[in-house]
Amino acid sequence: MLSERDYLLYLSSILEIGTMTASHLMKHFGSAERVCMADENEMNLLINGSMADKLQSVIKREEIEERVSFYKERLQKEGIGYIMRGDKEYPKLLDCIDDPPEILYFKGNINLLKEKNMIAMVGSRQATIYGREAAELISSQLAAEGVVVVSGLAYGIDTASHRGAIKAKGKTIGVSGCGINIIYPHGNRQLYENMYKDQLVISENGLDVPSYGFNFPLRNRIISGLSRGVVVVEAREKSGSLITAEMALLQGRNVYAIPGRINDPLSKGTNRLIREGATLVDNADVIMEDILGVSGYKPKYEKKEEKNEQGLFFKLSEEEVKVFDAVTTDPVYIDDIVSVSGVAMPRCIAALITLRKAGLIAETERGYYHRMLKK
């Protein structure tokens, strides 16, 4: 005999019925079972004609039990679990937002949803070097404090945020806008594999749901809904990241922003957020003091102003200092470094190698170098 959970799983398995449509139908009819078992008259009475016709064409009552059984087998085979509203694992903060997801599919460590302190990090897919480094720095500091970093698995800021948490041996949750078994973007396969192994990937979309554009704004309400605050790293004047920030405000969450250059289009949105009252963030302490209170917060993460990325002390020679001073946060060509520093090319190359090993600079592309943000 099928349960209410089975009927909800069935609705979720139908690609033609989106998650919000299923949720609204359940509100209309009172349960997933009543949606599935409604006859033509009930359909036409409670919803408009076009939707009623569509539902009658895709919901096949005689196939529900078989389809649900096959769907469960696929989920189990692919190592995918699911929780529903009312389950003890369902996050309380998420349950309090408008239109919370009725079902969450997951792959990875479901216990991460029990964590009290989660912070979302969002930003541009076309992030600058500065933006990616800033996202990785803040997320690594937050993760070192025991905060779970939540983001959306996209290129740019999302990827940097997840990686920062992982590098700090912390915890991170990825919220997908596709089906739970879909890796998108494809270039992030390795990140997904790492998340499946030690972290957590969740989605309100079941198996095989493609990367429909309209699902990503819906995904954003989950990112902010899970979290106590949202950090916007880089965002244009009109962007999905600002939509997430607006959702966070409506949900009663804190909004933070990392400042950027005034002439950079990718910083227009973040700078405006700060102007309108978002908290300016230049290190994790700002966020942690909000979460724990100024008097109750003592930094746990190790500040490494005098150490390289391996945590080892280093001492620069006079020439290395000159070369380092000639490198900025924007990529600088090696010829210009030689000209500004006054260090001859062979010795400049040697200094650059030392600075790279110390984690103080990075090579953006062949011959171009930029400063790394302090870890």
Side-chain angles (χ1 to χ4, degrees):
M1 184 175 179
L2 295 174
S3 66
E4 174 66 12
R5 296 173 69 85
D6 292 327
Y7 285 109
L8 177 53
L9 205 60
Y10 174 72
L11 288 178
S12 181
S13 75
I14 302 174
L15 297 184
E16 294 86 350
I17 301 178
T19 57
M20 296 302 288
T21 298
S23 178
H24 292 159
L25 285 171
M26 289 170 61
K27 289 177 182 176
H28 273 297
F29 286 90
S31 70
E33 180 179 3
R34 288 192 61 188
V35 174
C36 295
M37 304 307 291
D39 59 27
E40 184 177 350
N41 290 332
E42 286 180 292
M43 288 281 190
N44 291 325
L45 180 65
L46 290 174
I47 53 180
N48 66 57
S50 60
M51 178 57 72
D53 292 340
K54 180 178 181 180
L55 287 174
Q56 289 173 55
S57 69
V58 298
I59 294 178
K60 305 184 185 304
R61 291 194 289 272
E62 68 278 5
E63 298 178 2
I64 293 177
E65 189 167 353
E66 181 180 355
R67 185 182 179 108
V68 168
S69 177
F70 176 71
Y71 203 69
K72 286 180 177 178
E73 287 178 7
R74 278 198 64 193
L75 290 170
Q76 185 175 20
K77 184 177 180 181
E78 297 190 32
I80 296 166
Y82 59 92
I83 58 174
M84 299 180 179
R85 290 186 68 193
D87 290 349
K88 62 180 181 180
E89 299 91 349
Y90 196 94
K92 290 183 174 58
L93 274 179
L94 187 61
D95 196 33
C96 295
I97 70 171
D98 291 337
D99 291 319
E102 297 293 337
I103 182 169
L104 283 176
Y105 295 91
F106 69 88
K107 190 168 184 177
N109 182 6
I110 188 62
N111 289 323
L112 294 192
L113 288 180
K114 298 178 182 178
E115 297 288 335
K116 179 181 178 182
N117 293 323
M118 300 187 194
I119 290 292
M121 296 192 64
V122 298
S124 175
R125 288 174 171 81
Q126 297 83 35
T128 65
I129 294 170
Y130 162 76
R132 293 194 298 271
E133 288 184 4
E136 187 171 319
L137 172 63
I138 299 300
S139 65
S140 65
Q141 291 177 346
L142 287 170
E145 294 286 355
V147 172
V148 178
V149 175
V150 182
S151 199
L153 296 165
Y155 285 141
I157 298 304
D158 289 9
T159 295
S161 299
H162 291 304
R163 285 179 176 166
I166 292 170
K167 285 183 179 179
K169 303 188 184 307
K171 302 169 184 174
T172 181
I173 296 174
V175 185
S176 171
C178 309
I180 187 63
N181 62 328
I182 302 294
I183 292 178
Y184 180 84
H186 304 300
N188 265 356
R189 174 171 292 276
Q190 187 58 57
L191 174 63
Y192 271 80
E193 294 298 333
N194 291 340
M195 298 285 285
Y196 293 153
K197 182 181 177 182
D198 299 311
Q199 308 295 335
L200 178 66
V201 176
I202 63 173
S203 177
E204 65 177 328
N205 299 294
L207 297 170
D208 306 329
V209 177
S211 55
Y212 295 129
F214 56 78
N215 274 338
F216 290 91
L218 294 176
R219 177 272 311 266
N220 292 347
R221 84 189 193 284
I222 301 176
I223 292 176
S224 57
L226 284 169
S227 309
R228 297 185 63 179
V230 173
V231 183
V232 183
V233 182
E234 282 186 327
R236 298 181 185 275
E237 278 281 16
K238 295 182 180 179
S239 68
S241 300
L242 295 188
I243 293 173
T244 309
E246 291 171 5
M247 288 180 177
L249 289 172
L250 292 173
Q251 293 166 350
R253 311 299 195 251
N254 294 333
V255 174
Y256 309 93
I258 293 178
R261 293 173 295 192
I262 61 174
N263 62 343
D264 188 342
L266 285 174
S267 295
K268 291 287 187 182
T270 48
N271 291 345
R272 178 169 65 79
L273 283 175
I274 293 169
R275 189 168 65 248
E276 293 176 353
T279 301
L280 186 153
V281 169
D282 56 4
N283 61 65
D285 295 355
V286 176
I287 301 168
M288 295 307 302
E289 286 171 358
D290 256 4
I291 293 176
L292 301 178
V294 176
S295 61
Y297 171 59
K298 294 181 180 179
K300 297 176 186 174
Y301 69 86
E302 183 181 8
K303 298 182 180 180
K304 298 181 179 179
E305 283 84 353
E306 298 180 357
K307 297 183 181 181
N308 67 5
E309 59 185 0
Q310 285 78 37
L312 304 174
F313 285 99
F314 56 86
K315 185 175 181 180
L316 301 179
S317 69
E318 185 177 341
E319 284 187 341
E320 289 163 351
V321 170
K322 288 180 179 179
V323 171
F324 181 66
D325 287 342
V327 180
T328 68
T329 53
D330 286 324
V332 183
Y333 189 51
I334 189 169
D335 288 357
D336 296 320
I337 298 172
V338 169
S339 176
V340 172
S341 67
V343 178
M345 180 65 78
R347 300 188 69 81
C348 182
I349 292 173
L352 290 169
I353 292 172
T354 299
L355 293 169
R356 284 182 64 188
K357 288 181 177 178
L360 293 173
I361 66 170
E363 189 172 15
T364 307
E365 55 184 297
R366 189 170 180 82
Y368 285 85
Y369 299 85
H370 73 279
R371 285 194 185 194
M372 299 289 287
L373 296 180
K374 290 182 179 180
K375 295 291 192 289

